[in-house]
Amino acid sequence: MKKTYKIALIPGDGTGPEVLREGVKVLKAAGVKFDIKFDFQEYDFGGKRYLETGVTLPDSAIEEFKKFDAIYLGAIGHPDVKPGILEVGILLKLRFALDQYINLRPVKLYPNVETPLKDKGPKDIDFVVIRENTGGIYTGIGGATQVGTQNEVAIQVMQYSRPIVDRCVKYAYEFTKKRNKKKMLTLVHKCNVLTHCGDLWVRSHKEIGDKYFPDIKQDYNHVDACTMWMVKTPEYYDVIVTENLFGDIITDLAAMIQGGLGIAAGGNINPDGVSMFEPMGGSAPKYTGKNVINPLAAISAGGMMMDTLGEAKIAFAIDDAITKALQSGKIKSLSAGKMGMGTTEVGDFVASLV
Ligand code: IPM
Ligand code: MN
C-alpha cells in the first residue's frame, strides 16, 4: 500500500485559493514521482464564510483537524471584515488550539531573485528564524478601563513560563544541529530592558545549550540590533530563535530581504501534533481571480510540510524545482502581474521540474 497523507486544505480568501491550487498541483506531481498519495479535504473557513454565517472557526473544526497529518492554508483576510476578527478567530485560534508552538520561517534568497540589499546574493541570505508561536503578548492577557475617556488605561502583558520557553529553545537547538551549517543559534530578545522575560529566555538558551548541545555556538542579539545586522550582514546568521512578537516583526523584514511575500513561506508547527503551512503573503484582493499572483510561496510551504512530515527527499525535490524554475530565468519577477507568466503556468512549470 502506498503511503497516504491526509491533508486539510483551507484555501481561504482572495488569492488564497489560486496559490494553494498550485501548491497542491506540485505536491501531486511529487506524489507521482515518489510514489505516495495525498488525501485532500477542503474547508471553506475564511472571510466569505464569516460574512455569510458569522462563524470564524467552530470548535468542532479543531477536533476534525486533529485527525489530519497537516493543514495547508492559502490566505485569510477579507476587505469587508474588521481587522482582528479573522486573524484571532481563525489563524491564532488554530495556532493555540493545536498548540503549534513553533513558527518556522526559512529565509533564503533563490537565484535570480532581487533583494533590496545592495551587493548581497544567495550565498549571503540563507538563515532560519524560529519564532515562539503561542506565548508572549499574543496570549492576550490584559485589559482596559475607562475606555474612550481621557484617562483610559490599557494593559497587555508579555508572559512566558519556563516550559513554554524551554520547548521552543530545545526545538531551535535540535533544528540548528540538524541543519548542520554554521551551528550557531542566535537568541534575539531585548534583555537589557525586558529584564524579566529576557532573563528567562537568556537562561533557557544558555542552560539548554550548555547541557545538551555543546557543539552549537551560543549567540545573542538585542532585537533592535538584529534588524540592523539583518540588513547589513545577513550572512552572519544561521538560526535565530526569538519570542512571539519580536519574531513576528523580524520575519517580515526577513521576507523582504529574500525577495518579498511572493516567495516567503511559513510553518506553524506542533512537533508532536498537527502543523499548518502557509505562504506569508495575504489575500491580495486586488489581484484576486486574475491569474497573476505568485504561487511560489505556497509551493514552498508545501515543501516545508513534507519536510515536517518526515519526507525530506520530497521536500528537497520541491525546493530544488523552485530553484531550477527561478534559475531558468523564465520567471521574470516575483511580483504579481510581472512574472511573465500566469499563476497556473508557474505551478505547471515547477510541477514539471519536481
Ligand atoms: C503572521 C501574521 C499573524 C501574526 C497575524 C495575521 C495574526 O502577521 O503570521 O506573521 O501576527 O502572527
Ligand atoms: Mn506577521
Side-chain angles (χ1 to χ4, degrees), residues 160-291:
Y160 270 107
S161 67
R162 182 79 201 227
I164 295 287
V165 175
D166 279 356
R167 68 180 182 172
C168 176
V169 168
K170 250 186 210 142
Y171 180 94
Y173 272 113
E174 300 274 2
F175 188 95
T176 311
K177 189 174 162 183
K178 200 170 147 210
R179 178 173 154 91
N180 199 21
K181 288 203 171 167
K182 284 190 191 147
K183 295 195 178 179
M184 179 173 82
L185 180 61
T186 305
L187 169 65
V188 167
H189 211 290
K190 184 74 186 173
C191 67
N192 52 344
V193 175
L194 303 183
T195 45
H196 307 300
C197 283
D199 188 49
L200 175 54
W201 277 87
V202 166
R203 274 182 288 114
S204 171
H205 179 249
K206 179 171 189 328
E207 287 167 22
I208 290 174
D210 286 351
K211 189 160 176 196
Y212 302 109
F213 301 93
D215 299 344
I216 306 294
K217 188 169 169 222
Q218 297 175 18
D219 180 48
Y220 175 86
N221 280 179
H222 292 317
V223 64
D224 48 350
C226 169
T227 61
M228 246 168 42
W229 301 129
M230 211 180 263
V231 170
K232 195 162 189 282
T233 48
E235 64 275 16
Y236 174 77
Y237 292 111
D238 181 19
V239 180
I240 289 174
V241 64
T242 189
E243 71 86 40
N244 207 344
L245 181 62
F246 293 155
D248 179 46
I249 297 165
I250 66 171
T251 52
D252 269 20
L253 175 66
M256 285 303 122
I257 72 171
Q258 74 179 125
L261 295 178
I263 192 74
N268 299 275
I269 295 175
N270 176 342
D272 312 302
V274 183
S275 304
M276 175 168 74
F277 300 85
E278 57 178 334
M280 294 265 290
S283 55
K286 78 173 185 195
Y287 297 118
T288 301
K290 298 196 170 130
N291 196 39

Side-chain angles (χ1 to χ4, degrees), residues 76 84 86-88 91-92 95 103 105 131 133 138 244-245 247-249 251-252 268 278-280:
I76 297 286
L86 301 172
E87 291 87 337
V88 174
L91 273 180
L92 296 184
R95 285 181 190 170
N103 192 310
R105 280 277 300 110
R131 161 187 173 192
N133 209 31
Y138 274 67
N244 207 344
L245 181 62
D248 179 46
I249 297 165
T251 52
D252 269 20
N268 299 275
E278 57 178 334
M280 294 265 290

Side-chain angles (χ1 to χ4, degrees), residues 24-345:
V24 166
K25 187 187 279 175
V26 171
L27 285 177
K28 282 183 177 163
V32 171
K33 179 154 180 208
F34 291 90
D35 208 31
I36 58 158
K37 264 181 66 185
F38 292 99
D39 179 1
F40 294 109
Q41 193 165 326
E42 205 168 305
Y43 292 84
D44 68 348
F45 299 114
K48 193 165 162 284
R49 170 141 174 198
Y50 171 72
L51 288 170
E52 284 163 12
T53 64
V55 174
T56 47
L57 188 80
D59 294 343
S60 58
I62 300 285
E63 288 313 307
E64 252 190 78
F65 286 142
K66 287 183 182 164
K67 296 180 199 138
F68 285 87
D69 292 307
I71 303 168
Y72 196 18
L73 182 123
I76 297 286
H78 198 290
D80 302 336
V81 181
K82 212 176 103 195
I85 294 179
L86 301 172
E87 291 87 337
V88 174
I90 300 181
L91 273 180
L92 296 184
K93 184 166 176 175
L94 278 166
R95 285 181 190 170
F96 280 87
L98 297 175
D99 202 18
Q100 294 163 341
Y101 63 85
I102 298 295
N103 192 310
L104 191 63
R105 280 277 300 110
V107 183
K108 175 172 161 177
L109 183 66
Y110 286 91
N112 284 329
V113 173
E114 212 178 307
T115 170
L117 302 188
K118 191 164 158 269
D119 300 331
K120 299 293 178 190
K123 66 170 191 348
D124 304 306
I125 300 173
D126 181 9
F127 61 93
V128 176
V129 180
I130 293 172
R131 161 187 173 192
E132 200 289 321
N133 209 31
T134 56
I137 211 160
Y138 274 67
T139 49
I141 292 185
T145 57
Q146 294 172 274
V147 177
T149 72
Q150 293 218 321
N151 298 319
E152 176 167 349
V153 177
I155 298 173
Q156 204 137 6
V157 178
M158 177 182 282
Q159 66 132 50
Y160 270 107
S161 67
R162 182 79 201 227
I164 295 287
V165 175
D166 279 356
R167 68 180 182 172
C168 176
V169 168
K170 250 186 210 142
Y171 180 94
Y173 272 113
E174 300 274 2
F175 188 95
T176 311
K177 189 174 162 183
K178 200 170 147 210
R179 178 173 154 91
N180 199 21
K181 288 203 171 167
K182 284 190 191 147
K183 295 195 178 179
M184 179 173 82
L185 180 61
T186 305
L187 169 65
V188 167
H189 211 290
K190 184 74 186 173
C191 67
N192 52 344
V193 175
L194 303 183
T195 45
H196 307 300
C197 283
D199 188 49
L200 175 54
W201 277 87
V202 166
R203 274 182 288 114
S204 171
H205 179 249
K206 179 171 189 328
E207 287 167 22
I208 290 174
D210 286 351
K211 189 160 176 196
Y212 302 109
F213 301 93
D215 299 344
I216 306 294
K217 188 169 169 222
Q218 297 175 18
D219 180 48
Y220 175 86
N221 280 179
H222 292 317
V223 64
D224 48 350
C226 169
T227 61
M228 246 168 42
W229 301 129
M230 211 180 263
V231 170
K232 195 162 189 282
T233 48
E235 64 275 16
Y236 174 77
Y237 292 111
D238 181 19
V239 180
I240 289 174
V241 64
T242 189
E243 71 86 40
N244 207 344
L245 181 62
F246 293 155
D248 179 46
I249 297 165
I250 66 171
T251 52
D252 269 20
L253 175 66
M256 285 303 122
I257 72 171
Q258 74 179 125
L261 295 178
I263 192 74
N268 299 275
I269 295 175
N270 176 342
D272 312 302
V274 183
S275 304
M276 175 168 74
F277 300 85
E278 57 178 334
M280 294 265 290
S283 55
K286 78 173 185 195
Y287 297 118
T288 301
K290 298 196 170 130
N291 196 39
V292 295
I293 196 80
N294 187 339
L296 287 176
I299 294 171
S300 172
M304 277 174 83
M305 178 165 79
M306 295 321 294
D307 199 37
T308 309
L309 290 172
E311 299 285 357
K313 268 193 203 144
I314 301 182
F316 182 82
I318 293 175
D319 194 59
D320 197 45
I322 294 172
T323 306
K324 286 189 180 126
L326 289 165
Q327 232 155 17
S328 76
K330 287 183 188 156
I331 300 172
K332 298 297 173 211
S333 156
L334 295 190
S335 304
K338 297 182 184 153
M339 298 187 293
M341 55 175 97
T343 306
T344 51
E345 286 72 34

